[in-house]
Amino acid sequence: MAEDQTPDPADQPEEDKTPPADNPPEPYRLGGSGRSGKSPEGASGQGGEPGNPFEAFLSSLAGGDMNALAAQLQNAFAMLGGAGSMFTSGPTDTGSGVNWEVTKDTARKIAASLGPDPSPDAGQQRAIIEAVELAELWLDEATTFPRVSTTVAAWSRAEWIEQTMPVWQRLVEPVAMHIADAMEGALNFGGSEEAGGLPGMAGMEQMLRPMLRTSGASMFGLQLGQGLGQLATEVVGATDIGLPLSEPGHVALLPTNVKAFGEGLEQSSSDVTLYLALRECARQRLFASAGWLRAQMLTLVEQYASGITIDTSALEQAVSQLDASNLEELSSSLEGGLFEPQKTPEQLAILERLETMLALVEGWVDEVVTQATAQWMPSAPALAEAVRRARAAGGPAEETFATLVGLELRPRRMRDAANLWAALRDARGMDGRDAVWSHPDLVPTSADLDDPLGFVAGEARAGAAEGADFDAALEELLKGEKPEGDEKSE
């Protein structure tokens, strides 16, 4: 499958990474994926061997004075973690070391800085409720999946951040833990008591490790908050990125973003709202009726994140080039891509499954909404194309998450999946199309997206075989039964 095998830019080796030394010391990296770079001149440890860049940096930080070094550490690590926020434990602070309250506050500040975010007024709330009510009526005729008991809401961008944060925390927690491990593991003085010419440096290792760990977690949390803040300006509903971010049965649209989506489309605002409500309600029906789907999608993301390895060689290079008198330089150099995840073959296999599942969900929504609007909404084809273009193009927030987590939020084969579901409906009807979601083993694979007609033919043959088996079993059963009175006649 050519599309799914396109190399991800994040997989390519970075040109600025320092090549390994001819005789490198014991590497200080996470998961074996990092490479140890040679320290700058004068940063060698005992015996002339290349030293740890952190050792050289900390040695130069206070000019060899241990008391001055201790006094400056708080300031240095505060800059690493963003104004010292990692030293304040929030109520949602977890084993990863990320202060999720700070992450959420960062997201809200970023969203607020990107444009007005008024709370939806009574008129907007009413418009959303009316659109959802009409959408549910139309969907009754387009899918066998029933309505779910829903809570309908109009959210501001800030409310989207608040409502979806618990799911984001669950999804990215493994990545945050790996980054914290990478930062902690980057410090290794090798037991030398005279490390870098600074007596007592090795004895400070136990104190510095947790500070580095928390700094790494804080940096990730801040970058995640920035990404979420940007994404909050792009989403139009609770589930429109394909992942079930809201509570089951919770339909929500963001009026500010819905209005922005409709700008330049030459469609009425009521049509735009209704079309996006149709897609949101269709996803909620699917997630409710296919009980396994929500859990499996979230599990796939967690499995993907839990296997991530972080290359620390870029971190080591950044530290080795630091000027101790200009700590702000480190803070700026750590922003945007320093901790890019490294994808293993196992990661790529999980990613393919996840992207296929995202495409199948969005393709099914496309197909169902197309059927629901066929008789009633002439503007639906243009709006459907606008949705496809927006998902295919992505945005700055999606690029941020691709860098931080290595996960693309957009399904690249949504159109192929929509064609497969349409072909299945043509061959087996609406019931046959929706029945495929009854069990994960029945759901199409990425290979099926390459050959939708083959998948449909295979389903038809399987259905015919099951019917023939049933007829044969019934005939055998009937042959074994004797009509009443036969025993007397014998």
Side-chain angles (χ1 to χ4, degrees), residues 1-76:
M1 182 173 62
E3 281 187 88
D4 284 350
Q5 294 175 355
T6 302
D8 192 304
D11 295 336
Q12 305 305 314
E14 298 176 9
E15 295 181 359
D16 63 349
K17 288 183 181 177
T18 305
D22 294 334
N23 296 295
E26 182 66 23
Y28 27 86
R29 59 192 183 229
L30 174 66
S33 64
R35 294 178 300 172
S36 300
K38 184 176 290 186
S39 301
E41 185 177 355
S44 298
Q46 287 184 335
E49 293 296 326
N52 190 312
F54 274 101
E55 173 191 327
F57 169 62
L58 293 174
S59 297
S60 63
L61 189 62
D65 186 337
M66 285 291 292
N67 292 328
L69 172 62
Q72 293 186 36
L73 283 177
Q74 175 81 19
N75 180 49

Side-chain angles (χ1 to χ4, degrees), residues 267 271 373-383:
Q267 306 295 338
D271 274 6
T373 57
Q375 298 182 22
W376 314 109
M377 185 183 284
S379 61
L383 290 169

